[in-house]
Amino acid sequence: MFPASALVQDLPLVYNKTLSACNSSALLSGAPYGVVICDKVGFIYEQLDQIAASKVGAAIIISDDPELFELGGVPWPVVVISPTYAKAVIDYAKTAHKPTATMKFQQTLLDTKPAPAVASYTSRGPSRSYPDILKPDVMAPGSLVLAAWIPNSEAAIIGSLSLSSDYNMISGTSMACPHASGVAALLRGAHPEWSVAAIRSAMVTTANPYDNTFNYIRDNGLSFQIASPLAMGAGQIDPNRALDPGLIYDATPQDYVNLLCSMNFTTKQILTITRSNTYTCSNPSPDLNYPSFIALYNNKSTAFVQKFQRTVTNVGDGASSYKAIVTAPKGSKVMVSPATLAFENKYEKLSYTLTIEYKSEKDGKVSFGSLTWIEDDGKHTVRSPIVVSQVVTPW
C-alpha cells in the first residue's frame, strides 16, 4: 500500500534478467525509466529498499509473501502480484512491441475473495499457560485497520522521507482485540444479565468458520492451508448471530477457582486473583464449562480416551429441542450423550458428555472437527470446535 496518489501511467514495462532480482539499487538505477518487474527471490523487504533507493519509476514484485498484504506500507510505487500471474506479465513485457504499465493507488477494493483469512502474525495455540483449554477463542479483523495515530510519529515512508498523520493503517492483534471487545460490549448492553462467560460463549458458538467463498477459512501463515482452531478459534466473530446464540456455556467464579485449584495454585495466589475469601478448593476440576474442546496426546502411548462434561443454558424464546451433529477430527471417534437436548423453559440447564477416542501422531499433526447443536426448527446452531493436538509444555 503506497501512501500517495502516484502518477504511474503508460510507463515502459521492463523485464531484464540482469535487474530482475531487484537487490541492487546501482543496477536498478541504470535501467530505463519505467516499471521494472522483480522476480520472486524471497527477500521482498530488501527488494523494496533497493527499489526506493534506485528511484525507478515503479515496480511489479512477484511474491506470495502474506506479510506484505497484512502489514501494508511500501516506500515506492509498487504492485505485488502472485506467482500465478507472473508468466503472463513477463511474456507481455518480453514479446509486446512497446509494453507499458499503469498503476492506480489509494483505491478501496470491496468484496475481495477469499476473505477473511488467518493472518501470519495471529496468536496461536495451544496456550502454554494452560493447554487444556482451547485457545484462541475467535478471530476478528486485524489487518490494515484504519486507526488513530500519534501525529508526531512516522506513519508512512516515501523513499527516505517520513510522513506523519493523525491516522494510520495498522495490523496486529492490537487491532483485532478492539473488534472483539466492542462486540463483547454490545452483547453486554443487549444482555446485561449475562455473565462474562456467557458473552464469550455466545461469541464462540456463533463464530463463522467459512470465508466469503463458502469454503473453510485459510491460514496465510501456513501456506494457505485450511485454518485450524489453534489459529482462529471457532472462526470469525459474527456480532448479529452472537446476540441470539440459542444456548450458552456459562461458568461462575467458583468454576474458575476450581480450575485454579486443579492447577495447584496456592490459597494466597487464588486470593490475589479473586480478592475474596468466599471461594474454596473443595471441588478442584480441570474441566471448565468451556464452549470448545481440546484433547492432547504425547508420545508415551498410542491410544487415549478423554471425557468432557458440559452444561448448556437455554437462552432462546422458550421450549426447544437440539440434536448433536459431530464432525470428528481425522483419526478420532467422538461420542455425545445424550445426543438430543430437550428444553421445556427458557434458562433451563441441561448437561451432556462428549468423549473423544484418539491416538498419538508421530509427526505431531493437529486434527480438528466440531460439535454442533442444531435446533429442530433450524433457528439456532451452536457450534464448538474440537481439536486433537500434541501436548505442549506449560510455562
Side-chain angles (χ1 to χ4, degrees), residues 1 26 99-100 127 149-150 230 247 267 283 308 346 357 372 395:
M1 186 172 59
T100 61
S127 168
W149 189 246
I150 311 162
L230 293 180
L247 305 176
T267 301
N283 187 30
F308 301 87
K346 188 173 183 177
E357 296 179 0
T372 305
W395 286 332

Side-chain angles (χ1 to χ4, degrees), residues 46-333:
E46 180 185 350
Q47 289 177 308
L48 288 169
D49 291 341
Q50 298 302 317
I51 290 165
S54 72
K55 295 182 171 56
V56 297
I60 296 173
I61 298 180
I62 301 165
S63 176
D64 54 7
D65 185 346
E67 282 195 16
L68 192 62
F69 299 98
E70 295 167 351
L71 303 181
V74 295
W76 206 252
V78 167
V79 168
V80 181
I81 65 170
S82 166
T84 305
Y85 307 111
K87 185 178 184 303
V89 175
I90 292 171
D91 285 348
Y92 167 69
K94 292 167 65 175
T95 61
H97 175 53
K98 288 185 178 181
T100 61
T102 296
M103 296 180 181
K104 293 183 179 180
F105 295 91
Q106 291 193 325
Q107 296 186 98
T108 299
L109 303 178
L110 303 178
D111 200 29
T112 301
K113 294 181 179 180
V118 174
S120 58
Y121 57 77
T122 191
S123 299
R124 298 175 185 269
S127 168
R128 290 190 178 274
S129 60
Y130 189 67
D132 291 311
I133 290 180
L134 177 57
K135 291 292 177 177
D137 289 320
V138 291
M139 64 180 278
S143 293
L144 299 177
V145 176
L146 181 63
W149 189 246
I150 311 162
N152 60 353
S153 179
E154 180 182 280
I157 303 174
I158 296 180
S160 59
L161 178 66
S162 295
L163 306 177
S164 65
S165 176
D166 292 333
Y167 299 92
N168 202 353
M169 301 296 284
I170 308 298
S171 297
T173 54
S174 294
M175 292 294 101
C177 182
H179 282 88
S181 300
V183 172
L186 290 171
L187 292 176
R188 181 62 132 182
H191 300 285
E193 75 282 6
W194 282 8
S195 68
V196 172
I199 291 171
R200 178 187 53 223
S201 172
M203 293 172 66
V204 170
T205 62
T206 60
N208 190 354
Y210 300 101
D211 63 25
N212 58 0
T213 67
F214 305 103
N215 293 302
Y216 284 110
I217 291 171
R218 297 280 175 168
D219 191 335
N220 287 350
L222 290 177
S223 303
F224 310 106
Q225 297 176 16
I226 292 175
S228 102
L230 293 180
M232 68 170 187
Q236 180 92 334
I237 54 173
D238 187 333
N240 290 333
R241 287 194 63 220
L243 282 168
D244 184 18
L247 305 176
I248 57 171
Y249 294 77
D250 209 351
T252 66
Q254 181 63 57
D255 293 328
Y256 286 95
V257 171
N258 292 343
L259 175 63
L260 296 176
C261 297
S262 74
M263 297 168 65
N264 297 319
F265 276 59
T266 66
T267 301
K268 183 178 180 180
Q269 289 171 326
I270 293 174
L271 183 61
T272 301
I273 296 170
T274 63
R275 300 183 183 183
S276 173
N277 288 310
T278 61
Y279 305 110
T280 71
C281 276
S282 59
N283 187 30
S285 172
D287 195 14
L288 186 65
N289 194 42
Y290 216 74
S292 57
F293 308 87
I294 183 168
L296 302 170
Y297 64 82
N298 55 43
N299 294 326
K300 296 180 181 179
S301 178
T302 57
F304 300 84
V305 177
Q306 185 165 347
K307 289 186 177 182
F308 301 87
Q309 183 75 28
R310 293 291 188 266
T311 298
V312 288
T313 304
N314 177 28
V315 292
D317 295 330
S320 59
S321 180
Y322 289 79
K323 291 183 179 178
I325 302 296
V326 172
T327 301
K330 186 176 180 180
S332 303
K333 185 178 180 181

